[in-house]
Amino acid sequence: MPTTSSSTCDSARTLDPPVCRTRLGVEITTGEQTPARLPGEAAPHPAHRLLARDGGEYLFVGLRSGDRPAADAAAPAPAAAQEPVDALGLRLAPGDVCFYDVHRAPALDFREPFRATTFLVPADLLGLVDSDVRRIARKPVARSSRLGALLSPLLSDLARATAEARPPVGEMLAWNAVNLLATLAAEQLGTAAPGTRGTPGSRDTPGTPGAPGTAGAHSPVLERVLEYVELQLTDPDLSPEAIARAHHISVRYLHKLFKDEGTTVGRWILRRRLEECRRDLMRYGRGGRTIAAVAARWGFLSATHFSRVFRSAYGMSPREWRDTAGRAALSGRR
């Protein structure tokens, strides 16, 4: 690996061309040479810098917002004085995963040569709106954290495997990477006040509940409950009574755990099921499972009820979402 001096953020050299571009609109880039800047829609943002003093591999996730006007993307970056203090000089260590907005890509200040693996992902594919992107870009996932230690090497391996695999295996691997990134994003956004986070296509209606709790501050019981819900989402009989029984707690105490976090058990289960249905509809399109089959797979007993709550959460019917996602995939292949 070639050597480089410290701050090289003024160079025009960027990462190597994308080694993998998927129908989902995801691009995966691995830089064998030390990059001077990250892929973005404009020059590096002067007030947002990423700092590192050690060599190794760093993972970056560039988030593209589909509803941002092109003029906004090309607009000059705001002055540094307008940026929050915590947005300045974020320090990274090898293996850290750093989200960033491609419209306001950070400048790089790395002292040693390093390897960069970058995922360029539509923000709404991860269930993020613009306000989410702004917040998550300031909270790197440390390789030393519990989730970072688990997912950082896995994301690195998936990036390489996706680039080397043939379709449809490469598409499946890319989708797995998207799901892992969505998990990291949800973990980071857990530090926000409950009930404020939107979802793709949503209008931030009451039908779209927020993530419970503060990341890393859940009670051990709630942590176990959330893990259990994830494993049982496809079970149509999943209920507060079943969850409480499985954890040897009362239903009243279970409701209190979620009430303290600003949501309810039912809203959380509904939200997670809707998110998985939305992803399946995008993933399979018209040529895959029917809408009713997707709904049934994730525990909805009534297709009519599913369509109603889906529209309430995302502002469009499941069919409209599937067709919109399909058109986006087709345009991405042109």
Side-chain angles (χ1 to χ4, degrees):
M1 189 177 292
T3 59
T4 185
S5 59
S6 57
S7 178
T8 52
C9 60
D10 292 332
S11 170
R13 181 165 50 84
T14 61
L15 292 170
D16 296 337
V19 296
C20 179
R21 178 175 294 146
T22 73
R23 290 181 298 172
L24 294 170
V26 178
E27 296 178 9
I28 301 175
T29 305
T30 53
E32 294 292 345
Q33 295 182 344
T34 302
R37 54 180 290 191
L38 297 172
E41 303 287 337
H45 195 282
H48 189 181
R49 294 185 301 137
L50 300 179
L51 314 175
R53 297 297 176 260
D54 299 314
E57 181 179 25
Y58 294 78
L59 293 91
F60 304 98
V61 185
L63 299 170
R64 297 192 301 251
S65 174
D67 58 359
R68 186 180 303 222
D72 183 43
Q82 298 175 341
E83 287 292 308
V85 174
D86 63 356
L88 306 177
L90 292 175
R91 294 189 178 275
L92 303 179
D96 288 357
V97 184
C98 184
F99 292 85
Y100 72 94
D101 184 347
V102 298
H103 300 291
R104 303 168 71 251
L108 299 180
D109 185 354
F110 283 52
R111 296 293 182 184
E112 299 292 334
F114 68 100
R115 177 185 177 89
T117 294
T118 302
F119 298 83
L120 295 180
V121 187
D124 57 2
L125 197 61
L126 302 185
L128 305 176
V129 294
D130 278 354
S131 59
D132 294 331
V133 173
R134 287 193 294 272
R135 285 163 40 216
I136 204 172
R138 296 166 187 163
K139 298 174 182 175
V141 181
R143 174 66 171 80
S144 58
S145 68
R146 179 172 61 88
L147 199 58
L150 175 66
L151 298 187
S152 177
L154 187 53
L155 285 167
S156 178
D157 290 343
L158 278 172
R160 290 166 178 76
T162 302
E164 297 170 359
R166 295 181 179 180
V169 175
E171 293 286 339
M172 295 294 292
L173 291 172
W175 184 254
N176 287 331
V178 166
N179 283 330
L180 293 179
L181 292 172
T183 299
L184 284 175
E187 174 79 4
Q188 295 302 89
L189 288 169
T191 57
T196 60
R197 181 172 171 236
T199 45
S202 77
R203 297 163 296 183
D204 290 328
T205 63
T208 306
T214 300
H218 293 156
S219 74
V221 177
L222 182 56
E223 291 283 1
R224 291 195 296 271
V225 166
L226 294 178
E227 291 175 4
Y228 179 83
V229 169
E230 289 299 305
L231 294 173
Q232 303 297 324
L233 270 181
T234 58
D235 183 359
D237 294 326
L238 182 64
S239 66
E241 291 75 18
I243 296 170
R245 186 167 54 251
H247 292 82
H248 308 289
I249 59 177
S250 68
V251 175
R252 181 178 180 181
Y253 180 59
L254 176 67
H255 284 307
K256 182 180 184 302
L257 288 173
F258 279 80
K259 182 179 180 180
D260 289 346
E261 304 295 337
T263 187
T264 68
V265 184
R267 286 179 182 174
W268 179 248
I269 294 173
L270 177 61
R271 172 196 169 156
R272 288 294 301 116
R273 282 176 169 165
L274 286 173
E275 288 176 342
E276 295 302 331
C277 288
R278 174 182 58 81
R279 288 172 182 159
D280 272 6
L281 290 171
M282 172 180 278
R283 176 181 180 182
Y284 295 113
R286 286 182 173 272
R289 297 182 176 94
T290 64
I291 292 174
V294 169
R297 180 192 179 199
W298 291 104
F300 288 96
L301 295 176
S302 166
T304 301
H305 170 68
F306 166 66
S307 295
R308 184 170 62 251
V309 295
F310 190 98
R311 180 182 289 278
S312 175
Y314 302 127
M316 65 178 70
S317 70
R319 188 180 305 278
E320 290 169 335
W321 168 255
R322 183 191 64 185
D323 293 347
T324 299
R327 287 195 296 271
L330 286 173
S331 64
R333 291 198 293 268
R334 291 177 185 144

